[in-house]
Amino acid sequence: MSHSNQSGLDRRDWIKVSAAGIAATAITGSTSAQSALAGPVNITKMSDPVPTRPLGRSGIPVSMLNLGTFRNPGSDRLLRFSYANGVRYFDTADTYGSEPVIGRWLKEDPALRNQMFLVTKEHPKTPQQFIDKLDERLAALQTDYVDLYLIHGIGNTYGSDYKSLDWPKSKEWQAAFEKIKKSGKAKLVGFSCHDSRRAEFLQAAAVGGFVDAIMVQYTPWLDKESKLNKALDACHKAGIGLISMKQISGFGDKVLKDVPKHVPYLKEKNLTAYQGLLHAIWSDERIASVCVSMVNTDQIRENTAAIKSFEPMKLTDIHDLRDTVLACDRTLCADCDGQCSRAGGTKASLGDLTRLLTYHDQYGYRSEAKRLYRELAPESCDWSDADLALAEAACPNHLKFSSLLPRASQCLS
Ligand code: SF4
């Protein structure tokens, strides 16, 4: 299977989860989303729910693997297939295009709502807007509440002056979070972050004490002394639930083919490279759940099988995996704190540019990648003054900026 494959939709596995959420019956495809993809269907056996971990101080058990639904073709079918394979945590957002699909599913099977952990996100400019926008999200999802409501991608897109760094410890935002939870429209409130200064956002949340959960760009081989690792420690100690995201993107087919041959742990356990990466992430007990954008049924099978065979990895095995993966060509910055830009002497956001190029080239999200590129400040896109050799030398993921950045400019501008 290929994690970079956006198609490969297997028609045999259409399932319909019953109202009780415990049985599966054959369907012929009735909704508009289904009709685009549906064909003959087989009855599919329901698996037990995948293992859970408590989400921070809330103690709410959440699936250790959750389904990211960003612009996912065939998401109607993949939601149901994930559910049938034991996933009970679904991640969406205002901009993902998947809320209406989830809404239709919940309308068909209202009893499912209480059996899943449903997360959505918004892009508010003010605390009041965050409160108000939740009604739009609930209407799109056709539900009365979400389990977790997040400020979407807090960081420089909320202002390059980084005033948003104060939000996780401000009284106004605290009052908004409390009002939302009191209304019963969201059980928990927090933010997602893949900004280069995310360690500072996490530290602010640990100090503020009112953020319930954070979805954060993460890598399983963080340096112990890194700012992000220390910020994760601070959040974990403060009882903030942590959800990993964007951890296994940006790998090409070389990773799929070559890594298992060179990592004894994978060979012994008969795991793929992605299954090994998931095991490495779950070995960090601070991480309650991992968000993975699974775009075909093979990926769902592979990743839910990984969780069922999970045992914590030894550090030496994680390092073996890290060294092998980093030797492969990679396009996405996964643990960006901006050191490439500093080393290269540029204000350009090299990590963001490679991330958007990955969206464009590997995920096929071309218009979305271009839209996000247009939202970046002009200086974040202008890498003409960068010393790319120094930037490459500074990047722990060994990104080859000299080939990636010209392509980013060509494709995204
Ligand atoms: S050095 Fe590499 S990992 Fe760090 S910000 Fe730059 S691209 Fe991302």
Side-chain angles (χ1 to χ4, degrees), residues 143-281:
T143 184
D144 295 335
Y145 72 98
V146 289
D147 297 279
L148 174 60
Y149 181 43
L150 301 172
I151 299 169
H152 198 167
I154 199 168
N156 63 1
T157 51
Y158 290 79
S160 51
D161 55 6
Y162 275 99
K163 285 195 175 146
S164 54
L165 269 172
D166 290 331
W167 294 5
K169 49 187 180 182
S170 93
K171 292 265 177 284
E172 292 76 20
W173 281 95
Q174 180 172 14
F177 279 32
E178 283 167 4
K179 190 167 180 185
I180 287 167
K181 287 199 281 182
K182 208 168 166 192
S183 73
K185 294 176 184 175
K187 287 186 180 170
L188 305 172
V189 189
F191 61 80
S192 68
C193 189
H194 50 72
D195 191 88
S196 61
R197 294 175 69 177
R198 61 192 179 281
E200 293 168 70
F201 281 98
L202 266 65
Q203 287 287 5
V207 170
F210 61 87
V211 169
D212 296 311
I214 299 173
M215 197 171 170
V216 61
Q217 184 177 354
Y218 172 85
T219 179
W221 33 77
L222 274 178
D223 183 338
K224 201 164 174 272
E225 295 305 316
S226 68
K227 285 183 188 171
L228 183 57
N229 195 52
K230 289 179 180 173
L232 289 167
D233 273 342
C235 287
H236 187 59
K237 200 170 161 200
I240 297 171
L242 295 168
I243 303 139
S244 168
M245 66 170 173
K246 298 186 190 296
Q247 58 282 313
I248 58 172
S249 309
F251 296 105
D253 285 346
K254 194 169 187 303
V255 171
L256 283 173
K257 289 192 193 110
D258 289 356
V259 169
K261 291 181 211 154
H262 302 295
V263 181
Y265 176 86
L266 300 183
K267 277 200 276 187
E268 271 165 37
K269 307 258 176 191
N270 196 23
L271 298 176
T272 67
Y274 287 102
Q275 287 177 319
L277 281 160
L278 287 170
H279 279 205
I281 297 167

Side-chain angles (χ1 to χ4, degrees), residues 196 217 332-341 350-352 354 391-392 394-399 401:
S196 61
Q217 184 177 354
L332 182 80
C333 159
D335 55 350
C336 172
D337 71 353
Q339 54 190 297
C340 51
S341 299
L350 306 186
D352 282 337
T354 56
E392 283 178 11
C395 176
N397 281 329
H398 304 179
L399 295 194
F401 297 118

Side-chain angles (χ1 to χ4, degrees), residues 15 17 44-47 79-88:
I15 58 141
V17 177
T44 303
K45 191 169 167 274
M46 292 290 287
S47 298
L79 285 165
R80 293 160 195 262
F81 193 77
S82 300
Y83 192 97
N85 279 274
V87 175
R88 295 291 182 272

Side-chain angles (χ1 to χ4, degrees), residues 371-388:
R371 186 187 72 75
L372 292 169
Y373 182 82
R374 285 195 298 275
E375 280 186 1
L376 291 175
E379 66 266 27
S380 298
C381 302
D382 180 9
W383 51 270
S384 58
D385 60 346
D387 184 325
L388 297 185

Side-chain angles (χ1 to χ4, degrees), residues 38-39 57 66 68 83 98 107 129 152 205 214 226 237 243 257 269 305 326 400 402 404:
R57 62 178 172 262
N66 75 79
Y83 192 97
S98 53
K107 196 169 181 196
Q129 212 177 60
H152 198 167
I214 299 173
S226 68
K237 200 170 161 200
I243 303 139
K257 289 192 193 110
K269 307 258 176 191
L326 293 184
K400 293 196 173 56
S402 49
L404 294 172

